[in-house]
Amino acid sequence: MAEAERRRAFEALLQTHRKIVFKVAAVYARGEEDRRDLAQEILLQVWRSFGGYDAGRPFSTWMYRVALNVGLSHARRQRERTQSLDASLIDTLGGGTAIDEPDERLVQLARAIETLEPLDRALILLHLDEQPYAEIAAVLGIGESNVGTRLARLKQRLRRDMTGTPSSRGERDGTR
């Protein structure tokens, strides 16, 4: 593929799927400047990796995989610099579309998601983006049944963290 043709193909695909970049940046970076930097880092890596993209497969799956790898690496680097959630994170959960007055429950959910391990954040991000289990499994390199099991556990944990109530019979009984 000629360079100009390759660039046009990339720009067209990026135009269609650019929200993936902002969603991943919103989950793994704190503060507007950090999110912008991470989004640029993701875009750069997506471009650098574009030569290895197999056009016979869904671009969104491939792009999620690249973006999440960059996001996970970023999270590892930032792990020691843990800070409380910047409320402005909520502004971009819609994929770059600002929310004027975030609902308190949305703020609570974002805080609960922030406490998850980086891979679990990726899983929730893909789930909240309404990706089918098969695509989540392909992006994260795990089985579809593992996706369902992990999501069920994460939902229970988030419910418990947000409401402060036990989410299973064993926890209510104090047997766990």
Side-chain angles (χ1 to χ4, degrees):
M1 179 182 304
E3 183 62 25
E5 185 180 338
R6 180 175 173 242
R7 184 177 300 267
R8 276 192 299 275
F10 178 77
E11 288 172 357
L13 289 167
L14 185 60
Q15 182 66 29
T16 303
H17 301 284
R18 70 179 186 272
K19 286 185 176 182
I20 292 172
V21 172
F22 300 115
K23 289 176 183 174
V24 172
V27 168
Y28 290 102
R30 297 185 178 98
E32 189 175 330
E33 188 175 332
D34 195 26
R35 283 193 305 273
R36 259 196 319 264
D37 289 348
L38 181 55
Q40 285 183 337
E41 191 178 339
I42 291 168
L43 286 171
L44 182 61
Q45 189 58 46
V46 169
W47 170 247
R48 285 179 177 159
S49 302
F50 188 62
Y53 166 63
D54 177 0
R57 297 185 174 258
F59 183 76
S60 62
T61 301
W62 176 83
M63 188 171 178
Y64 259 122
R65 182 173 287 168
V66 172
L68 288 170
N69 282 335
V70 175
L72 289 167
S73 295
H74 179 82
R76 278 187 224 109
R77 288 191 306 266
Q78 300 297 320
R79 188 175 215 131
E80 294 173 8
R81 298 186 327 166
T82 302
Q83 303 169 353
S84 64
L85 175 68
D86 179 354
S88 64
L89 168 69
I90 304 305
D91 294 347
T92 57
L93 282 178
T97 305
I99 300 169
D100 292 333
E101 294 284 331
D103 182 298
E104 179 57 34
R105 292 178 309 166
L106 194 55
V107 172
Q108 208 176 9
L109 178 61
R111 286 186 177 136
I113 290 171
E114 186 177 282
T115 66
L116 299 175
E117 292 297 316
L119 184 61
D120 288 339
R121 277 190 260 164
L123 187 61
I124 287 293
L125 170 68
L126 292 165
H127 174 68
L128 292 175
D129 202 26
E130 300 178 351
Q131 298 298 316
Y133 282 13
E135 182 151 340
I136 294 172
V139 169
L140 298 179
I142 60 178
E144 283 185 58
S145 61
N146 195 1
V147 169
T149 302
R150 291 180 76 136
L151 273 175
R153 290 181 184 152
L154 285 170
K155 287 177 187 177
Q156 286 179 343
R157 179 180 167 186
L158 291 173
R159 186 175 305 117
R160 182 185 61 233
D161 291 351
M162 292 178 64
T163 63
T165 58
S167 56
S168 71
R169 189 169 153 192
E171 291 179 35
R172 282 191 300 266
D173 298 343
T175 56
R176 286 194 175 178

